Amino acid sequence: MNDKSLALALVALVAFGGLAAVAQPVAANTTTPPTNDGYVVEQAGDCHQIEALSSSGTVEAFYDYRNHETHSEGVDRMYSSYGTEHLQEDNTSVLFLHQGTDGLSLVMIHDQVDGDTTGGVATFEISGVPAETEWVVQDDLYEGETNMVEWYDEDGWIGADWIWSEARTDGGAIQGGLNDEFAMTIHPAFNEDAALYDDEDIYDPDFHENGTIDDWEALSGDVDDPDSIDLSLEEPVTIRTGTCDDPSVSYDQPSDGDGDELTATIEGADASDEVALQPLTGTDAAATFDGIAVTDLEGNASVTFANDADGLPAAPSDIETLSSLAVSSDSLEGSSATVTFSVDANTLEEQHLSPDEIALYEADGDEWEQVPTEVTDQTGAEYRYSAEITSFEGLMIAEQQDELTDDGSASSGDTDDGGASSMPGFAAGGALSALAVVGALLVARGRLQR
């Protein structure tokens, strides 16, 4: 090797090492998405397998909501859904999953446009929705005092209060997070039980003209000629992934409307099952809890999530804490779970933390125990993590205290690289590795010269 070649090698290797330390790519996500065997609708102990209604467009195009703002004169635009006329019935509310080019959505439609109906009122509160779920179709949504519909999108639940007049529909569609495993519980209130029934504070309390919803149906199968399943107007309904042989998961109704507490009820679990639960997102939106998959559970259980850190242990004063979630259950002893969570990339930068310096902690009595945590994915805005827990008392996302070994124990912390991660691309010693190779080349050159 001549001096020129050696110089080129030195430049290339040092540059490569520097890039390795600066670029910090994230390891590819090696997790396998859950396999959905289908969908079911459950109410009061009855379970029915259902199929999503499929179309070749988006749910917004399928619903085809029209009002004076969305469509010009000369087009039917009676503040209603025109794309689902073939699914509508007088004095009937329908509920179904829609599969389109924008993924899976949950659709709800009350009454029939141009039908023989005087109007109606209804309230839906849907608990256990994924954090990314949002209203993508809102019937009604327009500017004006005659628009009295109320829309809600809170941590752990989403909902609406509808009121409509004769020969019109109301309803909407929600979307987001439904392409993976989910369970959502719809708490209905029709007619006199609805929030806007005879509400004197709205523009026109008599807008519904005493119209009623007499039937509630879940639709399944062929989008042009679906099967219908009769539902009770009085009982909650859960729609979830899986089959009727899988454990049932349902969520309670928001008690105070602020979404600060959510209870999941599990029924019929077997130790071999993995039960996916949707927690609340936590105390800070910069770091959010995405899911908890429970294993080794036999029979029934309930788990309550709360965005309240008052009952949790005090966080260590020497680490940066990002978010916490209170968890309580007297029926998960002996079970374990996989917790997935996300951290905002800008927050990490502001706190001068690298992605691999974040860990999950589980509450154990009056102390926090750090558990092995893995970065699983990166988007442009956030990093995603996975960790295993065995305690169901509380969770905290925070800066790691010590680098953990593969068996979960803390290392001595006597490293010179400040706690380098085992993830490719996050090694602070990347440049040092390059220099080591350069040293080897120098030695080899010396030997060749001798």
Side-chain angles (χ1 to χ4, degrees):
M1 177 178 289
N2 59 35
D3 290 344
K4 183 176 181 180
S5 298
L6 180 60
L8 290 175
L10 283 169
V11 172
L13 285 169
V14 171
F16 180 82
L19 286 174
V22 174
Q24 297 183 343
V26 175
N29 184 5
T30 57
T31 58
T32 302
T35 301
N36 292 338
D37 295 323
Y39 310 100
V40 300
V41 57
E42 296 175 315
Q43 186 184 53
D46 293 329
C47 182
H48 302 270
Q49 202 77 32
I50 61 171
E51 296 179 14
L53 277 58
S54 298
S55 75
S56 58
T58 65
V59 68
E60 183 179 9
F62 178 74
Y63 195 98
D64 191 13
Y65 169 69
R66 305 179 190 176
N67 65 31
H68 71 285
E69 293 181 348
T70 62
H71 290 72
S72 59
E73 291 185 19
V75 177
D76 290 339
R77 52 177 189 169
M78 293 297 293
Y79 304 84
S80 297
S81 169
Y82 284 84
T84 64
E85 287 186 77
H86 64 294
L87 304 176
Q88 302 167 11
E89 295 182 50
D90 286 341
N91 307 318
T92 300
S93 178
V94 295
L95 181 75
F96 58 90
L97 294 171
H98 173 265
Q99 183 68 54
T101 56
D102 53 348
L104 191 72
S105 307
L106 176 63
V107 183
M108 52 224 83
I109 306 167
H110 315 301
D111 243 326
Q112 183 173 7
V113 62
D114 293 326
D116 185 17
T117 172
T118 60
V121 285
T123 292
F124 277 12
E125 293 180 344
I126 310 172
S127 300
V129 296
E132 57 266 46
T133 301
E134 61 182 351
W135 287 105
V136 292
V137 176
Q138 294 170 276
D139 174 353
D140 290 306
L141 185 66
Y142 63 91
E143 294 295 331
E145 59 184 0
T146 59
N147 181 14
M148 294 165 279
V149 176
E150 298 285 345
W151 302 95
Y152 309 97
D153 188 351
E154 307 291 340
D155 187 8
W157 70 281
I158 200 167
D161 299 323
W162 292 282
I163 182 168
W164 63 97
S165 64
E166 61 178 328
R168 298 184 183 183
T169 70
D170 247 342
I174 61 175
Q175 188 181 94
L178 305 184
N179 295 325
D180 296 321
E181 287 184 296
F182 66 85
M184 303 180 292
T185 302
I186 303 155
H187 299 271
F190 294 104
N191 309 324
E192 293 91 342
D193 295 327
L196 297 182
Y197 183 82
D198 288 347
D199 184 344
E200 296 298 330
D201 293 330
I202 62 176
Y203 173 75
D204 185 359
D206 299 320
F207 195 62
H208 56 88
E209 298 182 19
N210 292 319
T212 60
I213 290 293
D214 300 326
D215 297 291
W216 191 20
E217 298 177 351
L219 305 182
S220 169
D222 189 334
V223 67
D224 295 318
D225 185 23
D227 298 324
S228 62
I229 300 165
D230 291 332
L231 302 173
S232 166
L233 297 173
E234 311 295 332
E235 298 290 336
V237 166
T238 293
I239 291 183
R240 62 170 175 83
T241 51
T243 71
C244 290
D245 293 329
D246 293 328
S248 173
V249 178
S250 60
Y251 295 88
D252 66 343
Q253 189 170 12
S255 57
D256 53 10
D258 60 9
D260 279 342
E261 187 171 292
L262 180 69
T263 298
T265 299
I266 308 165
E267 296 181 348
D270 185 84
S272 60
D273 293 321
E274 182 178 272
V275 183
L277 301 180
Q278 181 61 53
L280 296 181
T281 57
T283 55
D284 195 317
T288 60
F289 294 92
D290 300 326
I292 298 179
V294 180
T295 54
D296 303 315
L297 172 64
E298 288 278 4
N300 305 334
S302 66
V303 187
T304 298
F305 306 105
N307 288 332
D308 183 2
D310 290 344
L312 297 176
S317 59
D318 58 339
I319 64 171
E320 186 69 36
T321 60
L322 301 181
S323 187
S324 59
L325 180 68
V327 184
S328 60
S329 176
D330 57 2
S331 46
L332 290 181
E333 186 175 352
S335 300
S336 57
T338 300
V339 178
T340 53
F341 64 93
S342 304
V343 178
D344 179 68
N346 290 331
T347 299
L348 292 178
E349 184 176 355
E350 292 168 2
Q351 302 296 339
H352 305 291
L353 295 171
S354 64
D356 62 319
E357 290 179 312
I358 297 300
L360 184 71
Y361 293 73
E362 60 182 7
D364 186 5
D366 59 357
E367 295 182 350
W368 287 107
E369 295 290 339
Q370 182 176 310
V371 298
T373 304
E374 176 189 7
V375 184
T376 59
D377 197 8
Q378 177 195 9
T379 67
E382 63 185 14
Y383 291 87
R384 295 175 181 170
Y385 298 78
S386 176
E388 303 293 324
I389 63 170
T390 56
S391 174
F392 294 87
E393 299 179 28
L395 301 171
M396 180 176 69
I397 303 168
E399 177 186 4
Q400 70 175 20
Q401 288 183 303
D402 297 291
E403 184 181 359
L404 298 184
T405 62
D406 291 339
D407 63 2
S409 61
S411 67
S412 64
D414 293 333
T415 59
D416 294 328
D417 58 10
S421 168
S422 59
M423 289 187 59
F426 286 109
L432 293 177
S433 298
L435 291 175
V437 176
V438 171
L441 288 172
L442 288 172
V443 171
R445 179 176 178 269
R447 288 175 178 172
L448 288 173
Q449 289 176 337
R450 288 198 299 267

